[in-house]
Amino acid sequence: MTMFKSDRLKSRKQPIQARSQATVEAVFEATIQLLLHGGSSALTTNRIAEKAGVSIGTLYQYFPGKEALLYALVGRHLDKASDAVERACQAHQAMPLAACSDAFVNSYIDAKTGNPEASRALYHASTELDMKELGSGMIARLHRAVRDMLFAAQDGKFADLDDVVLTWVAAVTGGTRQIFEEDDTIARLPVFRAQLLQMSRAYLEASTIQTVR
């Protein structure tokens, strides 16, 4: 299987003006709709341009090919998820540990499941792309947000906060990703969320330093 490296997946230019941003947004939406109704086999730059109502030349002004377009779309998806988690973690600083735990789990799952079928389709369409740079960037943002939140928690102090953050973020993101690899994503989500919330609370409580009173 050919793996498209990240240095070949960069956009040609970034939309600055409102009209350009609207054009790129239309291209992104067209890509998602084609993935949902035809899968990755139906995805070509010509079909994307036609669906978006733009010329193929306009599409190529921004993206050298469908791989670069998918890479940019995944990047946007991850940025939105990171933004949501950062807002939730910041809003829950200095709150009880249980509330902090629920905030991260719920904000991450909510961000990934705003449109679960679209997220799943995008995940499967991008399996041949080198997502290491995008994924590493997102994980770094999550680590910082979660660490700051736990550091300020009312009732939680940890012997090694960085280890706790590493393990917890890996469990939440990895578990959620596995759910999206399955065909019955929507049906699995409620039970998965409930169990992940329970597991996260228990893990954080067990990882805190126990003080003698």
Side-chain angles (χ1 to χ4, degrees):
M1 179 176 68
T2 301
M3 178 65 70
F4 291 88
K5 299 297 183 181
S6 59
D7 58 357
R8 296 177 53 195
L9 298 171
K10 302 300 183 183
S11 301
R12 284 185 166 141
K13 69 175 184 178
Q14 296 297 321
I16 303 299
Q17 299 179 345
R19 183 176 179 180
S20 298
Q21 293 173 352
T23 296
V24 171
E25 187 64 31
V27 169
F28 282 158
E29 182 59 29
T31 302
I32 292 173
Q33 291 303 315
L34 286 170
L35 285 174
L36 285 173
H37 296 99
S40 56
S41 60
L43 200 64
T44 67
T45 51
N46 284 325
R47 286 179 176 174
I48 294 168
E50 181 181 3
K51 183 75 172 177
V54 302
S55 69
I56 189 67
T58 297
L59 188 152
Y60 283 138
Q61 286 180 17
Y62 298 97
F63 308 106
K66 71 174 185 179
E67 292 80 18
L69 198 166
L70 284 170
Y71 188 81
L73 191 51
V74 171
R76 187 187 71 157
H77 181 73
L78 297 184
D79 280 342
K80 286 184 175 181
S82 298
D83 289 344
V85 170
E86 286 172 343
R87 289 192 300 269
C89 288
Q90 186 174 16
H92 285 78
Q93 287 187 14
M95 294 187 69
L97 196 60
C100 295
S101 177
D102 291 355
F104 173 47
V105 172
N106 281 324
S107 64
Y108 185 77
I109 292 179
D110 287 345
K112 300 290 285 185
T113 61
N115 188 337
E117 291 302 326
S119 296
R120 183 170 166 272
L122 185 58
Y123 168 76
H124 284 295
S126 60
T127 54
E128 295 183 4
L129 308 183
D130 182 0
M131 295 295 178
K132 183 177 180 180
E133 183 177 340
L134 291 181
S136 296
M138 179 187 188
I139 293 299
R141 290 179 64 181
L142 298 186
H143 280 181
R144 287 192 295 269
V146 170
R147 191 187 192 286
D148 289 346
M149 179 179 64
L150 293 183
F151 181 80
Q154 287 182 8
D155 52 351
K157 299 299 178 184
F158 304 88
D160 195 325
L161 180 56
D162 290 329
D163 283 348
V164 171
V165 170
L166 176 68
T167 300
W168 188 31
V169 171
V172 172
T173 58
T176 304
R177 176 175 179 173
Q178 183 174 343
I179 290 296
F180 275 97
E181 292 178 353
E182 303 296 331
D183 291 335
D184 53 347
T185 299
I186 295 176
R188 289 171 174 261
L189 278 174
V191 171
F192 172 74
R193 183 195 292 264
Q195 293 182 346
L196 187 58
L197 286 166
Q198 181 180 11
M199 182 180 71
S200 294
R201 283 194 180 197
Y203 170 69
L204 292 182
E205 182 179 352
S207 300
T208 57
I209 299 172
Q210 302 299 315
T211 57
V212 179
R213 297 182 180 180

